[in-house]
């Protein structure tokens, strides 16, 4: 249990350190010293050992995370135009349909005719037919940019976990020399490539792609529609290297060595060696390393005749891997693999016993035992794993599959055969191709069954459903679950009396709980009531326009919504009363999918009082579908001069466009521009208004004076006209920009036009919150010095 306490404290320390803007190494070191002093002074108090061990893990994790790099030397050249990078390919090239991805350790960079030394990893997008291998020294010419962000997935964070902070797209690549990698690893990759080629030559698609994914960890050969089908039915774990694959492999190896009467100690050494080689062969990702370590611990446990306590083993793996790379905890694949294993450890045995008892009531004893043995792995094990992974799937992907259990019941029983036969066939393909081909054909039967089941169920209309859950509820689920598990394992003295009290007074306790819950809802409702202030949130929605307004009387105005549904829905759920399901006014500033892409998801959960648009025509099918759904509510086409006032004194004025836009007009030239005023304080919301549009607005005699200006077009290059800025005369400027966006927005020259005007940016502070009583203005954000 001590290791579990340490791991929990360690994880908490990493999470806190990751959410701290600064990296206070000295502060964490001082806290560690204080912790050691406290531990020494309380070393004889057994009751304090648990929390002291957790505190020690907490401080050590914070100190470790403080040394984690946040950038690289070469990243300072991002978004500065074209250049040439020379370096060595440090990992297996990743072949995609349209490109070859190379991880290059940069050595020099040439820009504007000047070559300087540099260092850092770069992800290079080379042409798909580029003949580049691991260990090649290459010259790559292109534009370095920051990786981008997604709705529920940050590509920048994903790459940062492997120390990549720069991306080079549409690159011209030339191989300068070869053989600069590790010889053993190069040989393993060569063997892997030849094995994959043997599979492709022996089997048709998609069976070849599926076996390559199961056996070699390379999922790229599987067609996108086939991979999507596995995802839709909740069977994507089949095409990835996991603990399931490792357990089968280690079991087969140890079984063969046992039959060969190899001494246990040597058998363990051989088994661990094979697992290590296989881990390197398939890429040594976080989830694969975790599965390999767990399987290795089972081998060692059998050697020393000790049964491995899985939760403790998981805690050990988490601490070791996150000590090597603290950001691994945020790797989605690692989380899914980790929690699936934890689900098996916590629930598989108890669910199996309950399942056996159920079958015993329905069938004769012998039949029940046979059924339980046959169905345990595909049904009970799948259910135990999904208890822990489903909340994560909903959180990260916003969907779940109601038929996942049924599909796994049909395909899991054959997966051990797929792996074993495929492995034997691939090994034999190097020495006895005819026999290997016969085994591949035998494996084709099992692969075809798997593919047929997945395809058939993936075509069902409800094979996958969209599902959104508040991240805080998912966090609460895991907190309660882990708390209950810890209570069950440690069984403190107060737990049994408390449980007896609950059972004896079940009605009273239930009534009290319901009353407290109802009181909590009433308190939440009271705090969500209008406070008589105008609130404006410039939402952190990536490189898109999304603004939420709450008037002093509690009306809500949504301006666009960005392109990320999960981000927008979370932002609305965090800021609107939990019992309100209506957006009073929706403004669509222009029919750009970057700005309206998330709105269909909003319509699934909220009604709309009225929609204001510029009337700009757009034949994009997505926009037409959005207008069709909005047709259930009033839609008003507005021009300059239109005003909307609320009973609480809020005034919305439309300043642009001047006339109805035509299909040929530029979207940015005819963007809907609105000024929101409450008392003496006003906000000018410009969306993506171009410089041409700004001059048109001024030329028509509009007066855009405002206290707060939203920088047009995310403050990009040539996005702000000086006469327009002079006419607005802002006291504060806000800009919506995605951190590390490939455009380099906001542009330095554009920001220079602002002079000493305070600037607030979403890429620095996340969502910006402004509020006013009509006289004074407050803002919750970090002022940026240009």
């Amino acid at each position: 249990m001590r290791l579990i306490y340490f791991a929990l404290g360690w994880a908490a320390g990493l999470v806190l350190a990751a959410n701290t803007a600064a990296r206070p190494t000295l502060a964490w070191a001082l806290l560690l010293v204080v912790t050691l002093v406290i531990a020494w002074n309380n070393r004889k108090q057994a009751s304090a050992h648990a929390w002291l061990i957790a505190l020690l893990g907490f401080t050590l994790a914070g100190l470790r995370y403080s040394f984690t790099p946040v950038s690289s030397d070469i990243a300072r050249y991002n978004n500065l135009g074209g250049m040439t990078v020379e370096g060595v390919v440090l990992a297996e090239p990743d072949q995609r349909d349209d490109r070859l991805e190379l991880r290059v350790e940069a050595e020099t960079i040439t820009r504007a005719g000047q070559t300087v030394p540099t260092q850092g990893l770069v992800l290079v997008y080379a042409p798909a037919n580029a003949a580049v291998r691991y260990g090649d020294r290459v010259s790559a010419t292109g534009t370095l940019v920051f990786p981008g962000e997604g709705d529920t997935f940050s590509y920048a964070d994903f790459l940062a976990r492997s120390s990549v902070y720069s991306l080079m797209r549409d690159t011209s690549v030339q191989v300068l020399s070869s053989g600069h990698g590790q010889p053993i690893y190069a040989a393993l990759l060569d063997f892997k490539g030849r094995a994959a080629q043997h599979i492709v030559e022996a089997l048709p698609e998609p069976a070849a792609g599926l076996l390559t994914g199961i056996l070699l960890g390379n999922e790229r050969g599987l067609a996108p529609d086939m991979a999507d089908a596995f995802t839709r039915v909740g069977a994507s774990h089949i095409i990835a290297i996991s603990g399931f694959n490792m357990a089968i492999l280690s079991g087969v190896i140890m079984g063969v060595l046992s039959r060969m009467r190899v001494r246990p100690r040597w058998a363990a050494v051989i088994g661990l060696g094979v697992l290590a080689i296989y881990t390197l062969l398939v890429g040594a990702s976080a989830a694969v390393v975790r599965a390999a370590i767990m399987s290795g611990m089972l081998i060692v446990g059998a050697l020393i005749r000790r049964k491995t306590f899985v939760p403790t083993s998981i805690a050990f793996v988490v601490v070791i891997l996150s000590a090597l790379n603290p950001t691994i905890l945020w790797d989605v694949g690692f989380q899914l693999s980790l929690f699936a294993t934890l689900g098996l450890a916590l629930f598989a045995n108890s669910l199996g016993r309950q399942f056996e008892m159920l079958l015993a009531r329905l069938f004769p004893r012998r039949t029940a035992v046979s059924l339980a043995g046959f169905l345990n792995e595909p049904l009970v094990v799948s259910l135990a794993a999904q208890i822990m992974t489903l909340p994560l799937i909903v959180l990260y992907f916003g969907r779940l599959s109601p038929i996942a259990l049924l599909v796994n019941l049909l395909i899991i029983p054959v997966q051990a055969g797929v792996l074993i036969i495929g492995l034997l066939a691939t090994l034999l393909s190097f020495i006895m191709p005819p026999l290997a081909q016969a085994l591949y054909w035998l494996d084709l039967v099992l692969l075809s069954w798997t593919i047929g089941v997945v395809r058939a169920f993936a075509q069902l209309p409800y094979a996958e459903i969209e599902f959104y859950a508040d991240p805080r509820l998912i966090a609460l689920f895991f907190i309660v679950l882990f708390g209950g598990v810890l209570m069950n394992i440690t069984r403190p003295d107060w737990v049994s009396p408390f449980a007896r009290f609950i059972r004896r007074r079940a009605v009273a306790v239930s009534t009290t709980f319901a009353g407290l819950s109802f009181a909590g809802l009433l308190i939440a409702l009271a705090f969500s009531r209008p406070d008589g202030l105008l609130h404006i949130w410039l939402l952190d929605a990536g490189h898109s326009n999304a603004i939420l307004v709450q008037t002093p009387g509690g009306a809500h105005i949504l301006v666009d919504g960005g392109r990320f549904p999960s981000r927008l829905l979370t932002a609305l759920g965090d800021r609107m009363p939990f019992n309100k399901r209506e957006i009073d006014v929706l403004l669509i500033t222009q029919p750009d999918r970057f700005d309206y892409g998330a709105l269909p998801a909003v319509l699934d959960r909220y009604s709309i009082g009225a929609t204001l648009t510029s009337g700009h025509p757009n034949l994009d099918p997505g926009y037409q579908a959005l207008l069709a759904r909005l047709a259930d509510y009033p839609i008003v086409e507005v021009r300059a001069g239109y005003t909307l006032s609320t009973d609480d004194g809020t005034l919305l004025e439309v300043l642009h466009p001047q006339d109805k836009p035509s299909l040929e007009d530029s979207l940015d030239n005819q963007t809907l521009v609105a000024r929101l005023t409450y008392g003496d304080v006003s906000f000018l919301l410009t969306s993506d208004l171009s410089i041409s549009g700004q001059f048109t607005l001024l030329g028509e005699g509009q007066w855009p004076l405002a206290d707060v200006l939203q920088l047009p077009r995310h403050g990009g290059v040539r996005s702000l006209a000086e006469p327009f800025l002079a006419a607005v005369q802002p006291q504060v400027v806000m800009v919506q920009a995605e951190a590390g966006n490939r455009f380099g927005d906001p542009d330095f020259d554009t920001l220079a036009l602002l002079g000493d005007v305070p600037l607030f940016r979403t890429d620095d502070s996340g969502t910006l919150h402004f509020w006013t009583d009509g006289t004074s203005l407050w803002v919750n954000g970090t002022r940026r010095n240009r």
Side-chain angles (χ1 to χ4, degrees):
M1 284 302 300
R2 292 179 180 179
L3 186 53
I4 293 178
Y5 292 138
F6 184 87
L8 290 174
W10 177 274
L14 289 180
V15 171
L16 178 63
N19 287 278
T20 303
R23 298 289 176 91
T25 303
L26 181 59
W28 283 108
L30 291 175
L31 183 58
L32 176 60
V33 172
V34 172
T35 300
L36 292 174
V37 172
I38 295 174
W40 178 258
N41 292 333
N42 293 272
R43 64 188 183 279
K44 295 183 180 180
Q45 298 181 18
S47 60
H49 286 178
W51 69 265
L52 284 174
I53 291 172
L55 183 59
L56 179 62
F58 177 83
T59 53
L60 285 173
L63 182 62
R64 171 63 185 91
Y65 195 90
S66 68
F67 291 103
T68 304
V70 295
S71 187
S72 63
D73 179 71
I74 197 170
R76 60 195 176 98
Y77 296 99
N78 290 354
N79 297 335
L80 293 182
M83 58 196 70
T84 298
V85 173
E86 288 189 13
V88 176
V89 179
L90 285 188
E92 178 186 12
D94 187 1
Q95 184 70 62
R96 305 293 182 98
D97 287 341
D98 58 342
R99 64 182 182 271
L100 181 68
E101 294 189 3
L102 309 172
R103 298 203 176 209
V104 177
E105 175 63 49
E107 297 173 346
T108 64
I109 188 167
T110 302
R111 179 171 177 262
Q114 183 177 5
T115 300
V116 295
T118 186
Q119 58 183 359
L121 286 174
V122 180
L123 180 62
V124 174
Y125 285 3
N129 60 351
V132 182
R133 302 175 65 185
Y134 164 75
D136 287 352
R137 174 172 276 110
V138 298
S139 171
T141 302
T143 303
L144 281 178
V145 297
F146 288 101
E149 301 277 346
D151 186 3
T152 57
F153 174 74
S154 169
Y155 195 43
D157 290 344
F158 171 75
L159 292 179
R161 286 192 283 273
S162 54
S163 302
V164 177
Y165 303 95
S166 301
L167 182 65
M168 183 177 275
R169 292 191 176 92
D170 301 324
T171 308
S172 173
V173 176
Q174 179 182 359
V175 177
L176 304 177
S177 58
S178 301
H180 302 283
Q182 295 292 333
I184 295 177
Y185 186 51
L188 284 174
L189 292 182
D190 182 63
F191 175 83
K192 179 181 178 180
R194 293 170 59 194
Q197 185 62 36
H198 290 172
I199 294 173
V200 169
E201 292 172 352
L203 293 173
E205 294 294 350
L210 178 57
L211 181 59
T212 303
I214 293 173
L215 192 60
L216 301 177
N218 184 1
E219 308 163 27
R220 306 303 182 198
L222 205 60
D225 60 334
M226 193 69 244
D228 183 63
F230 274 89
T231 301
R232 280 178 55 82
V233 300
S236 57
H237 59 92
I238 295 296
I239 54 176
I241 301 295
S242 63
F244 177 76
N245 306 61
M246 288 292 185
I248 293 174
L249 181 62
S250 61
V252 170
I253 293 169
M254 299 309 293
V256 170
L257 293 175
S258 176
R259 289 181 176 86
M260 294 174 63
R261 299 185 181 278
V262 178
R263 296 178 63 180
R265 186 170 299 177
W266 285 108
V269 171
I270 295 172
L272 293 174
V274 172
L275 283 180
I277 293 173
Y278 185 63
T279 300
L280 290 173
L281 186 66
V282 299
S285 67
V288 172
V289 172
R290 181 208 59 78
I293 293 177
M294 291 294 297
S295 298
M297 293 182 74
L298 292 175
I299 293 175
V300 174
L303 177 65
I304 62 177
R305 298 183 179 180
R306 290 188 60 181
K307 186 177 180 180
T308 303
F309 182 51
V310 178
T312 302
S313 302
I314 293 174
F316 174 77
V317 171
V318 169
V319 171
I320 294 299
L321 293 183
S322 57
L324 296 173
N325 180 8
T327 61
I328 200 173
L329 291 187
W330 286 266
D331 185 284
V332 177
F334 177 72
Q335 290 180 16
L336 289 171
S337 178
L338 180 71
F339 278 85
T341 305
L342 191 58
L344 298 180
L346 297 178
F347 304 115
N349 289 337
S350 59
L351 287 175
R353 288 192 296 268
Q354 296 296 323
F355 186 59
E356 289 177 6
M357 293 171 58
L358 176 62
L359 292 177
R361 295 177 182 177
L362 301 176
F363 301 99
R365 184 177 181 279
R366 181 174 297 179
T367 304
V369 172
S370 300
L371 283 175
F374 178 74
L375 296 176
N376 181 70
E377 189 172 275
L379 185 60
V380 175
V381 170
S382 295
L383 180 59
Q386 291 194 33
I387 289 174
M388 299 295 287
T389 57
L390 272 181
L392 293 177
I393 292 172
V394 170
L395 174 65
Y396 291 119
F397 307 112
R399 59 175 183 257
L400 56 85
S401 175
I403 60 174
L405 277 178
L406 178 57
V407 171
N408 281 279
L409 179 65
L410 294 173
I411 65 175
I412 282 184
V414 305
Q415 296 313 304
V418 168
L419 181 61
I420 295 170
I421 297 173
L423 180 60
L424 289 175
T426 302
L427 293 175
L428 286 173
S429 66
F430 288 89
I431 54 177
M432 299 179 65
L435 179 58
Q437 183 64 68
L439 288 175
Y440 276 130
W441 285 336
L442 178 60
D443 211 21
L444 179 61
V445 176
L446 303 180
L447 290 166
S448 300
W449 167 258
T450 302
I451 293 168
V453 170
V454 168
R455 276 180 166 166
F457 281 92
Q459 294 175 1
L460 297 177
Y462 296 104
E464 179 184 66
I465 59 175
E466 292 186 2
F467 191 87
Y468 171 78
D470 192 311
R472 293 167 297 189
L473 294 178
I474 294 176
L476 179 62
F477 166 79
F478 284 118
I479 290 172
V480 172
L481 182 63
F482 288 141
V485 169
L486 280 177
M487 292 299 102
N488 185 56
I489 294 174
T490 59
R491 296 189 180 277
D493 296 338
W494 58 269
V495 171
S496 296
F498 181 73
R500 287 195 297 269
F501 175 82
I502 295 293
R503 287 194 294 267
R504 292 173 182 173
R505 296 170 175 82
V507 176
V509 171
S510 300
T511 304
T512 303
F513 176 75
L516 291 175
S517 300
F518 184 69
L521 291 175
L522 290 178
I523 293 172
L525 189 61
F527 275 100
S528 65
R529 290 180 60 82
D531 56 6
L533 304 175
L534 175 69
H535 295 265
I536 293 185
W537 291 276
L538 193 68
L539 302 178
D540 182 16
H543 223 56
S544 307
N545 191 50
I547 299 172
L548 178 65
V549 178
Q550 178 178 296
T551 70
H556 289 89
I557 303 172
L558 179 62
V559 182
D560 293 329
R563 66 188 191 277
F564 299 138
S566 294
R567 288 197 198 183
L568 180 59
L569 292 173
T570 300
L572 297 180
D574 286 343
R575 293 163 180 84
M576 292 178 62
F578 70 88
N579 63 327
K580 184 172 182 180
R581 284 295 178 265
E582 181 182 27
I583 304 293
D584 298 280
V585 178
L586 171 64
L587 266 72
I588 301 178
T589 62
Q590 59 179 6
D592 185 337
R593 69 179 60 189
F594 264 58
D595 296 328
Y596 73 74
L599 292 180
V602 173
L603 297 181
D604 291 337
R605 294 166 173 82
Y606 297 89
S607 60
I608 306 296
T611 302
L612 307 183
T613 78
S614 65
H616 200 143
N618 190 304
L619 302 180
D620 179 77
Y623 188 65
Q624 291 298 317
L626 175 64
L627 290 180
R629 295 190 63 181
L630 287 172
D632 296 335
Y633 312 104
I635 300 179
V636 182
E637 293 186 5
V638 296
R639 312 281 181 271
Y642 177 88
T643 61
L644 175 68
S645 58
T646 60
D647 295 338
D648 52 31
T650 303
L651 176 65
L652 186 147
E653 306 168 83
V654 175
L655 305 184
H656 196 68
Q658 310 304 311
D659 302 301
K660 179 177 174 62
S662 66
L663 188 62
E664 292 77 20
D665 287 334
S666 164
L667 296 181
D668 292 351
N669 290 346
Q670 299 292 344
T671 295
L672 193 157
V673 176
R675 178 168 55 198
L676 201 64
T677 304
Y678 179 60
D680 297 328
V681 180
S682 55
F683 298 79
L684 187 64
L685 310 181
T686 59
S687 185
D688 284 336
L689 184 67
S690 65
I691 283 185
S692 175
Q694 295 167 33
F695 279 115
T696 300
L697 185 152
L698 296 176
E700 293 295 325
Q702 298 293 336
W703 187 33
L705 182 70
D707 297 290
V708 182
L709 168 66
Q710 177 192 11
L711 269 188
R713 300 183 62 203
H714 314 288
V717 178
R718 293 184 294 278
S719 62
L720 181 63
E722 292 189 61
F724 184 76
L725 177 63
V728 178
Q729 301 179 37
Q731 305 303 305
V732 177
V733 173
M734 57 184 183
V735 60
Q736 215 160 19
E738 179 183 17
N741 66 86
R742 63 188 179 90
F743 306 103
D745 298 340
D747 178 63
F748 179 82
D749 292 333
T750 299
L751 298 183
L753 297 175
L754 303 179
D756 296 328
V757 179
L759 171 67
F760 296 88
R761 305 167 48 160
T762 60
D763 58 342
D764 280 345
S765 305
T767 293
L768 300 175
H769 179 199
F770 295 82
W771 66 99
T772 178
D773 59 2
T775 303
S776 301
L777 175 68
W778 297 272
V779 59
N780 182 17
T782 303
R783 176 176 172 175
R784 175 68 172 260
N785 295 320
R786 290 169 297 281

